[in-house]
Amino acid sequence: QKEVEQNSGPLSVPEGAIASLNCTYSDRVSQSFFWYRQYSGKSPELIMSIYSNGDKEDGRFTAQLNKASQYVSLLIRDSQPSDSATYLCAVENRDDKIIFGKGTRLHILP
Amino acid sequence: DVKVTQSSRYLVKRTGEKVFLECVQDMDHENMFWYRQDPGLGLRLIYFSYDVKMKEKGDIPEGYSVSREKKERFSLILESASTNQTSMYLCASRLAGGIETQYFGPGTRLLVL
């Protein structure tokens, strides 16, 4: 089983709708979880971090964590064309290393 | 604000050339990393360093070496560049022992002809 798994997409969402990005991880003792956004040709940029079960909101972004199910998600409300990018899920494993998923390509349809 | 810089945004080299990619961070981070990123393969860790003069192999170290002579600087070296090393190279740094994540530099797109 891969350590961090994401659907590669592309995920197409109409402008103004909610985009939902999902990620599962294999290491049960992981405590830190991150979402990065990466525009084409650019480097990953941290947009959210979450450490406790539940929801964490920051503007139009909400990260959700369920440690029992080993599942972390990112919701983007009121999706904009500028949200079109690849979103990387990252998890800190038991060795204190950050493990990245391969990313989900998100396409917001104008 | 964390700042990680890389020496070049774009680089074109010939097969067999020795290539140096430099990374500098200004946040006194102990940990530094070199990745390459290719379509469909995601981020792959080449080497990382937990301290000055320390280095550890990542998942794909073959064909690469690194140098960390100063805390703020981490260099990736391609001893003899090959066409299969054409890629986007990303440097990252991270504070040791904390819960913070890694921060990336802008990347170097390397083309080996």
Side-chain angles (χ1 to χ4, degrees), chain A residues 15-46:
Chain A
E15 184 175 355
I18 295 175
S20 178
L21 303 159
N22 304 314
C23 171
T24 58
Y25 60 94
S26 60
D27 190 344
R28 285 197 165 274
V29 304
S30 295
Q31 296 294 321
S32 304
F33 308 86
F34 311 96
W35 283 100
Y36 289 78
R37 178 178 61 202
Q38 185 174 23
Y39 292 115
S40 181
K42 304 292 186 183
S43 64
E45 170 195 14
L46 179 70

Side-chain angles (χ1 to χ4, degrees), chain B:
Chain B
D1 209 19
V2 177
K3 186 124 179 152
V4 182
T5 58
Q6 295 183 228
S7 50
S8 306
R9 292 301 304 275
Y10 301 95
L11 213 49
V12 181
K13 295 293 181 180
R14 296 248 175 233
T15 301
E17 280 193 79
K18 191 169 187 174
V19 182
F20 293 88
L21 302 181
E22 285 218 315
C23 175
V24 178
Q25 49 93 7
D26 67 356
M27 288 304 294
D28 204 33
H29 286 174
E30 293 83 4
N31 299 344
M32 295 187 75
F33 308 83
W34 275 106
Y35 295 87
R36 64 179 283 178
Q37 188 176 37
D38 302 286
L41 298 178
L43 285 165
R44 292 185 291 169
L45 182 63
I46 304 171
Y47 266 98
F48 58 101
S49 170
Y50 286 136
D51 204 346
V52 176
K53 297 197 185 292
M54 292 182 67
K55 60 185 178 184
E56 300 260 355
K57 291 180 181 179
D59 301 318
I60 52 162
E62 297 78 19
Y64 302 94
S65 62
V66 290
S67 172
R68 184 119 181 250
E69 296 296 319
K70 293 185 177 181
K71 190 175 185 179
E72 67 271 18
R73 191 179 298 267
F74 192 34
S75 301
L76 179 69
I77 303 150
L78 287 65
E79 294 290 342
S80 178
S82 63
T83 55
N84 63 13
Q85 292 179 310
T86 290
S87 187
M88 169 73 115
Y89 289 88
L90 290 159
C91 174
S93 73
R94 184 184 185 205
L95 194 64
I99 58 172
E100 284 197 27
T101 187
Q102 297 172 188
Y103 295 91
F104 287 89
T108 296
R109 190 167 291 281
L110 172 66
L111 173 62
V112 182
L113 299 173

Side-chain angles (χ1 to χ4, degrees), chain A residues 63-92:
Chain A
Q64 299 176 315
L65 176 61
N66 183 328
K67 290 185 180 179
S69 299
Q70 294 174 242
Y71 179 92
V72 59
S73 64
L74 180 71
L75 301 178
I76 307 174
R77 288 183 301 282
D78 188 24
S79 296
Q80 303 296 310
S82 59
D83 295 326
S84 295
T86 296
Y87 289 81
L88 304 177
C89 174
V91 176
E92 184 180 28

